[in-house]
Amino acid sequence: MKKQFLILITLLISTITFACSCDIPKPILEFESVDYVFKGKVVSKVYAIDSLNYTVTFEVFKHYKKGEKPKILEFTFTSEGEYTGEFTSCDWHVNKDEKWLVYAYYSNKKLIFSYYCSNSRRIENWNISKNEQRILDYGNSFKLENYIYQFENGFNITKPIANIDSIFKNGKIKNYINPYTRLELFIDKKGNLNFVTAGLNYEFKTDSIYNLKTEFKIKLKKQVTEFEQDAMELIRKMPKWEIKRHIETNLPVSHIRHLIIQFNKEKKEWRYEL
C-alpha cells in the first residue's frame, strides 16, 4: 500500500512539473514587453459575491519602468479550487500581506500578471538578487535592437526566402564519412546571412548587465569536414532570410539560427531540420 502511495505521489509531481513547465523569459525581455514592473505589498484581498474570483490590491513601493507610476494597482484572479471546485496542477494564488515583484501588462484592456512563465514572484524581506536588481535599475536604458538573439522567447521563427528544398535537392552526392552536422548562422537585422559555421566554431561576447549576446565571431576550434564544407556551401545559396522581430514591439533584431543537416547514404539525399 505504501509503495502504491509513493508511486501515485511521484506521478502527481511529474504531472504538475510537466503541465506547468515553461521557459521563463529573461528578465530584461519581460521588462521590455510589459506595461509595469513594480515592487509592492498586497494590502487587501476581496472575493466576489459568488466567490469565483477575487481582487487583490497592491500598494506599490517602487516602480521600475518609466511611465505612469500609480500608488495602487488592482488585479482580479480566478479563485482557488476550494471555491470554484476546479483543481489544476497550475493553480497559484495571491494573499494579503504578501510582498511581490510584479511584471504586469494589459490584455483585452485588463491589467494582469502571471506566476508561471514569468519573473513575477513573491519576495521575502524585499530580497531581489543583485543581478536582477541591476537589470531593473538599468531596464529603461535597454535597447532591444542592439543585441543578438538565439533561443529567447518572444520572437518569430525565421525561414530562408529561397526554396530550401530545391537547394538541398541539388546538393553534392558523395560517400561522406560522417554525413551529419549542426550549422550556426548569423543573420543580421535586415535578414542578410553574414556568417555560417559548423559545430562550435564560434564565440560570443555577452553584455554584463542583461546577459545577452553583443557580438558573434567565427573561431576555428575544430577542423571542418568535407561534409560540413559542402553543407555550408548549400546554406550560402540562401543569403536572404525572413527578418526576426520582437513580437511585442515589432523591432527587427540580429539573430543566430541553427540547422541540423545530414546526408542519407542509401537514398543519396540531403536532409535538414530548421
Side-chain angles (χ1 to χ4, degrees), residues 146-148 186 204-208 212-216:
N146 290 348
Y147 298 87
I148 302 168
F186 175 72
F204 293 116
K205 284 187 178 180
T206 303
D207 179 270
S208 61
L212 290 172
K213 302 173 183 67
T214 58
E215 189 176 343
F216 175 88

Side-chain angles (χ1 to χ4, degrees), residues 225-243:
T225 66
E226 181 183 20
F227 175 74
E228 289 173 331
Q229 291 175 347
D230 290 346
M232 289 189 287
E233 182 179 325
L234 288 176
I235 297 304
R236 292 190 184 100
K237 294 179 180 179
M238 297 177 275
K240 294 293 292 185
W241 286 65
E242 295 172 345
I243 294 175

Side-chain angles (χ1 to χ4, degrees), residues 55 82 84 109 123 163 252:
T55 298
E82 61 192 89
T84 64
K109 298 183 179 180
I123 49 177
N163 188 318

Side-chain angles (χ1 to χ4, degrees), residues 40-75:
K41 180 179 179 180
V42 183
V43 293
S44 74
K45 179 176 182 177
V46 179
Y47 286 88
I49 295 175
D50 59 8
S51 297
L52 295 182
N53 58 61
Y54 62 87
T55 298
V56 291
T57 302
F58 278 90
E59 180 182 358
V60 179
F61 290 94
K62 173 72 175 179
H63 276 283
Y64 289 103
K65 191 155 186 176
K66 64 182 179 182
E68 295 182 0
K69 300 184 184 298
K71 298 291 186 181
I72 298 293
L73 287 171
E74 291 186 345
F75 301 86

Side-chain angles (χ1 to χ4, degrees), residues 197-212:
T197 187
L200 298 175
N201 288 334
Y202 63 93
E203 62 182 14
F204 293 116
K205 284 187 178 180
T206 303
D207 179 270
S208 61
I209 296 176
Y210 308 119
N211 192 31
L212 290 172

Side-chain angles (χ1 to χ4, degrees), residues 155-168:
F155 299 86
N156 62 307
I157 299 174
T158 62
K159 297 178 182 178
I161 302 299
N163 188 318
I164 189 170
D165 292 323
S166 297
I167 290 173
F168 271 75

